[in-house]
């Protein structure tokens, strides 16, 4: 370990308490930036383990490795929380063609998670382009029946935060297939949820009612979507048809685990601050930004505290949730057990928006008064580290179930810069090489800072 | 052009003036993000023209192309400003070895700009590692004479803003060679100015007094520096020597140009707001982030205004400065002519910190009162676009000479996120592929927003 000297920015506050906080935060950053371990840990998770879809062998390996990692750091408690998870598998690589008379034009697709296979020989049908679920409902069974529905509403590039663009386009992938199925569609193709024009399909879960019909559904690359749309405009139906083949299937649920590390509070061991991300990932790449960065930043928060001999007043947990991507079973289990054990949860912070430069935090369903109070108290401390954007907003999927199960908990989302996230999200580009070491470490330091402030001063 | 619909965030201000500003800013962003041209322009500058060191053929080509580009946008005035620039050339690729007894270990180096060549057969000498200029002065001629001095103080990774780390390490490159020469050094090797551990030398200008001795000086990659340092620690002098060969030379000054586009003010045509970056670049790569992004964002500011039919009250100039990297002759010439023509300059904004996500602006040598006033007025308008970090600080090299020549001008630096800049800065990695389209466009929109606010409301 390098010997650390304190450097600027250390704020000199008249108030003694602020001065102490300011010094401690500087120590947190020094530890993260000089002795940081999350980048090398992320390399291991991405390169030595790789994709970790729930139920896969790799997901199992990642659980064992994560537990060992946290044990090696000497946290006070390290344990697994058993949870049954869905086991969806992609099967053989998908193929798809636009059929234009006698021409077959290949386009890149990837089955949506939880979708079903096409017939073995593939599926060919007329294809109709729509831009919203409402449009499907308006067209109705008369038009939709027997066709492949092609959802092609692009990201709204005018939105400054790309997460909002994802939210605004996402219903096509989440709900589009199940609703098209109700009107008799035989398959669904969805424009990939990215603002980029490229050749990579971006997968992700689609939702089917238990009682509803499940039809084959796949994401198409944005360039493929533009090509298909252009051909549909040029030629009249039924000259243009679409063919695709996918072999995905749903296997029986399997046992998996949340992985939890804890520093036990010295004043209130029975009160908890949770910081976490999800250990599972999609199968197309290494789940680097989604969400390898998140789990390893979470463990890093506790490692930083140990390294600087900070003993929290309250118990601080790093939770590596399992199955965020296609079921959120880990998140539900964690909340359920928290309720069962009557744990008092002060706050939960989720990092699942990529390992980019941190900019601040979003607070879910908190009062304006609390936002004002936190801003007045903490912004001066956060500003030197450029993480002072404290806003109202969504927190995270994994910690969401705590809201009902542990009322009173404050749910917080870590907010890194959003511009590059959907370049890689759920696609084959989500690899270690696209993570920047400093951006990752600054995120870990930012989260440790927030946890420290909550631990010291409450909310 | 796409038809634009206004979307959130449009702030609803009670104050009518704020409401109008809010709407206009939204239009600026819509134009930049939907119809933006700077990314494609940057591709052309990087890929079709390439490196543009002052005095080179490519620098000349880039001047002609830049003028045509701005003319094609129909700005009110487009013209060149003649300026004599230094013409330093690298010559054949450098070679360097650590000589350890009979072993020769190759390390990557690149001559520092304005440095001289070694003898044709190269230069071999004992090498001594130092960490500061002060150390050289303390060791004195007795120790330094006849040796190669190896400056090896690394970036301070604890600094959150990497620009500060650059500032804190930069004297080794700027002044190290000339000071070592005074004490009789025969050559200088400087650790590359980056926080990354990699194999790429990062060049950059070094400064020699006109009267002082100019000795060969080169940057070594950070991995090379670590290797050299480790060997110096293991072996005692004179077992370890260093060899390097470089063929750079200074040719006579040549004619070049600043390229200027202007929208003439409808109320105050004789008052100016300048926005600019530098057109010249180092020779090792494409000068993408340094500073292709800056000049093309500057032109984009004016293009956005034209596209949305915004006619500024004051004259707004986009200036593509020549020769920022090794002489700042373009910046000096611009200020000199501004004085000669008795132009009134309201503000000058420089973008020369990379085309990354914008975070705000730094104001050079302004009063606390002005900072407070601007923050109170503008932060609510800038906050929805996440460019509300308004701080005191350095503006830019090109616009710097205006301070003396046009007192009263407010100098402002565009502040993008700094984390990735020194990964590429002055190295062979500064290529188009490392620029993100949205980050670049958001920067152009942010600058247009600031220019708009200054134009409407003054400072």
């Amino acid at each position: 370990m390098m010997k650390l000297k304190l450097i600027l920015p250390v704020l000199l506050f008249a108030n003694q308490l602020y001065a102490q906080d300011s010094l401690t935060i500087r120590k947190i950053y020094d530890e993260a930036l000089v002795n940081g371990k999350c980048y090398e840990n992320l390399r291991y998770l991405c390169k030595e383990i790789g994709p970790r879809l729930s139920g896969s062998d790799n997901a199992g390996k990642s659980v064992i490795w994560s537990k060992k990692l946290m044990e090696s750091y000497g946290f006070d408690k390290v344990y697994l929380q058993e949870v049954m998870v869905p086991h969806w598998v992609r099967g053989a690589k998908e193929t798809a063609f636009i059929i234009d008379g006698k021409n077959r034009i290949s386009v890149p697709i990837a089955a949506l998670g939880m979708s079903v296979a096409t017939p073995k020989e593939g599926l060919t049908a007329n294809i109709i382009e729509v831009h919203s679920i409402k449009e499907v409902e308006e067209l109705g069974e008369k038009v939709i029946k027997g066709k492949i529905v092609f959802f092609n509403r692009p990201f709204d590039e005018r939105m400054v935060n790309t997460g909002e663009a994802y939210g605004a386009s996402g219903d096509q992938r989440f709900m589009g297939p199940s609703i098209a199925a109700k009107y008799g569609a035989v398959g669904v193709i969805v424009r990939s949820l990215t603002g980029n024009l490229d050749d990579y399909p971006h997968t992700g879960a689609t939702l089917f009612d238990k009682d509803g019909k499940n039809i084959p559904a796949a994401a198409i690359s944005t360039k493929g979507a533009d090509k298909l749309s252009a051909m549909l405009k040029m030629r009249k139906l039924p000259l243009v048809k679409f063919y695709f083949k996918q072999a995905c299937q749903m296997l029986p649920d399997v046992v998996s685990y949340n992985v939890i590390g804890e520093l036990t509070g010295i004043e209130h061991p029975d009160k908890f601050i949770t910081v976490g991300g999800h250990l599972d990932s999609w199968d197309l790449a290494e789940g680097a930004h989604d969400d390898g960065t998140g789990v390893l930043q979470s463990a890093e928060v506790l490692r930083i505290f140990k390294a600087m001999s900070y003993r929290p007043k309250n118990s601080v947990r790093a939770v590596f949730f399992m199955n965020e991507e296609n079921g959120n079973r880990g998140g539900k289990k964690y909340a359920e057990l928290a309720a069962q054990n009557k744990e008092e949860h002060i706050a939960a912070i989720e990092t699942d928006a990529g390992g980019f430069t941190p900019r601040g935090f979003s607070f879910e369903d908190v009062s304006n008064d609390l936002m004002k109070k936190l801003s007045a108290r903490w912004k001066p401390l956060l500003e030197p580290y450029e993480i002072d954007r404290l806003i109202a907003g969504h927190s995270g999927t994994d910690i969401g179930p705590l809201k009902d199960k542990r009322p009173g908990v404050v749910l917080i989302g870590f907010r890194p810069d959003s511009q590059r996230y959907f370049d890689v999200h759920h696609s084959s580009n989500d690899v270690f090489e696209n993570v920047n070491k400093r951006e990752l470490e600054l995120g870990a330091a930012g989260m440790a800072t927030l946890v420290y402030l909550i631990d010291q001063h409450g909310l």
Side-chain angles (χ1 to χ4, degrees), chain A:
Chain A
M1 194 195 293
M2 280 180 62
K3 198 178 167 194
L4 298 175
K5 279 182 291 188
L6 286 173
I7 57 160
L8 287 173
V10 170
L11 300 177
L12 299 171
F13 287 96
N15 183 318
Q16 197 60 30
L17 203 61
Y18 268 107
Q20 181 55 50
D21 286 342
S22 177
L23 284 167
T24 303
I25 294 169
R26 184 63 257 178
K27 280 186 195 163
I28 288 172
Y29 273 80
D30 288 352
E31 177 60 31
L33 292 170
V34 177
N35 301 312
K37 298 288 181 283
C38 48
Y39 188 67
E40 172 55 23
N41 287 338
L42 182 67
R43 191 200 62 72
Y44 192 96
L45 183 64
C46 290
K47 297 301 181 193
E48 305 295 327
I49 298 178
R52 310 169 292 283
L53 191 55
S54 289
S56 66
D57 285 352
N58 271 0
K61 282 182 200 166
S62 71
V63 165
I64 294 166
W65 175 78
S66 301
K67 183 163 178 275
K68 277 191 187 155
L69 177 78
M70 292 207 267
E71 284 168 348
S72 78
Y73 289 146
F75 299 157
D76 298 328
K77 295 180 189 168
V78 178
Y79 58 101
L80 302 180
Q81 220 168 42
E82 189 177 307
V83 55
M84 294 302 292
V85 295
H87 189 195
W88 179 87
V89 293
R90 183 172 302 280
K93 190 167 162 50
E94 305 83 348
T95 51
F97 301 104
I98 306 168
I99 304 171
D100 178 28
K102 286 185 179 174
N103 288 335
R104 292 179 146 225
I105 299 150
S106 177
V107 283
I109 67 159
L112 293 183
M114 314 307 263
S115 175
V116 292
T118 57
K120 269 190 185 165
E121 66 279 13
L123 173 68
T124 306
N126 286 329
I127 185 160
I128 180 167
E129 177 175 342
V130 298
H131 294 86
S132 68
I133 285 170
K134 195 170 162 235
E135 199 180 335
V136 171
E137 290 166 340
E138 284 169 1
L139 290 170
E141 191 170 335
K142 201 175 150 190
V143 176
I144 299 296
K145 194 172 181 181
K147 293 204 180 74
I148 296 169
V149 172
F150 167 37
F151 285 94
N152 192 32
R153 185 164 86 258
F155 255 40
D156 190 335
E157 52 204 325
R158 294 169 299 174
M159 290 175 172
V160 171
N161 187 303
T162 61
E164 289 174 24
Y166 182 69
S169 293
D171 64 337
Q172 300 173 102
R173 192 194 83 206
F174 310 140
M175 305 301 303
S178 70
I179 286 168
K182 278 184 196 159
Y183 290 96
V186 294
V188 165
I189 297 294
V190 182
R191 183 186 184 90
S192 284
L193 294 179
T194 175
N196 271 7
L197 261 188
D198 62 34
D199 293 313
Y200 308 99
H202 295 235
T203 190
T206 191
L207 309 169
F208 284 100
D209 299 341
K210 271 193 184 160
D211 316 321
K213 203 184 161 195
N214 191 332
I215 56 173
I220 186 171
S221 75
T222 48
K223 278 193 181 170
D226 280 358
K227 196 180 288 181
L228 176 55
S229 180
M231 295 192 65
L232 287 169
K233 280 187 187 71
M234 275 198 310
R235 311 258 194 271
K236 287 207 189 322
L237 288 173
L239 264 178
V240 175
K241 295 188 177 215
F242 197 81
Y243 164 86
F244 72 117
K245 187 165 84 167
Q246 59 190 32
C248 41
Q249 56 180 317
M250 203 67 182
L251 303 175
D253 286 5
V254 297
V255 174
S256 191
Y257 305 90
N258 294 329
V259 188
I260 302 178
E262 182 179 308
L263 297 184
T264 303
I266 51 171
E267 289 185 18
H268 309 290
D270 51 345
K271 295 184 182 181
F272 296 91
I273 302 168
T274 293
V275 56
H278 63 87
L279 186 54
D280 64 306
S281 80
W282 282 106
D283 56 331
L284 297 177
E286 298 164 2
H289 279 292
D290 189 13
D291 185 23
T293 55
V295 290
L296 294 169
Q297 285 173 324
S298 300
E300 185 77 351
V301 169
L302 274 63
R303 190 199 67 75
I304 289 168
F305 286 164
K306 275 214 59 118
M308 53 193 274
S309 303
Y310 174 69
R311 302 191 60 193
K313 292 181 181 177
N314 306 283
S315 292
V316 177
R317 281 189 188 149
V319 183
F320 292 20
F321 291 96
M322 181 52 68
N323 186 230
E324 189 269 353
E325 292 294 4
N326 59 341
N328 201 24
R329 301 274 186 88
K332 288 172 191 161
K333 176 62 74 176
Y334 183 73
E336 193 184 291
L337 291 175
Q340 198 174 301
N341 298 328
K342 297 192 171 55
E343 292 169 356
E344 183 175 342
H345 282 250
I346 301 169
I349 304 151
E350 179 149 352
T351 159
D352 184 21
F356 305 100
T357 302
R359 304 195 66 165
F361 301 93
S362 54
F363 294 74
E364 190 165 321
D365 293 338
V366 299
S367 67
N368 281 342
D369 282 353
L370 180 59
M371 283 307 296
K372 275 184 196 162
K373 195 179 79 174
L374 294 180
S375 290
R377 261 204 266 156
W378 291 349
K379 274 200 173 193
L381 288 162
L382 302 178
E383 197 282 334
Y385 302 93
E386 305 187 358
I387 53 166
D388 52 324
R389 192 170 300 281
L390 305 181
I391 58 172
H394 177 65
S395 60
T397 301
D398 293 293
I399 60 176
L402 278 173
K403 188 157 46 179
D404 291 335
K405 297 283 186 184
R406 296 286 79 197
V409 66
V410 175
L411 301 184
I412 304 169
F414 168 67
R415 288 275 184 139
D417 191 84
S418 75
Q419 297 311 319
R420 289 174 286 145
Y421 191 45
F422 294 96
D423 295 356
V424 303
H425 183 254
H426 293 190
S427 83
S428 57
N429 288 320
D430 190 10
V431 294
F432 175 69
E433 289 77 2
N434 287 325
V435 177
N436 177 281
K437 181 172 183 282
R438 279 184 63 85
E439 294 185 352
L440 178 71
E441 290 171 348
L442 286 168
M447 288 197 299
T449 297
L450 186 70
V451 172
Y452 163 78
L453 288 172
I454 296 172
D455 184 52
Q456 283 294 311
H457 307 295
L459 276 158

